[in-house]
Amino acid sequence: MTALPPEIAAWLADAMPDGTDQPCTHYDAAHGRTCGATPTRQYIPGRRCWHHAPDRKKDTQ
């Protein structure tokens, strides 16, 4: 098992105790499937992984 970067570990810790083992439900229409990554947090649109979290600041570079 690899260690998570500190920002991701903190992001997950904030999600507890809701659990993180359910897959990401972000739908990718181009590929016709959901992301399915774990770990996740619960948001209004559904479970989201680190990359699809709606509150994650996107890089502008």
Side-chain angles (χ1 to χ4, degrees):
M1 184 166 124
T2 58
L4 294 173
E7 66 274 9
I8 296 177
W11 179 80
L12 285 172
D14 288 343
M16 299 302 200
D18 294 339
T20 62
D21 58 343
Q22 295 177 358
C24 178
T25 58
H26 173 79
Y27 184 74
D28 182 356
H31 295 102
R33 60 183 173 85
T34 58
C35 170
T38 58
T40 60
R41 289 178 68 180
Q42 180 66 44
Y43 293 93
I44 291 172
R47 305 279 317 176
R48 295 292 188 262
C49 66
W50 168 258
H51 297 288
H52 296 120
D55 61 347
R56 183 170 170 252
K57 294 187 189 286
K58 304 298 179 191
D59 293 331
T60 57
Q61 297 175 342

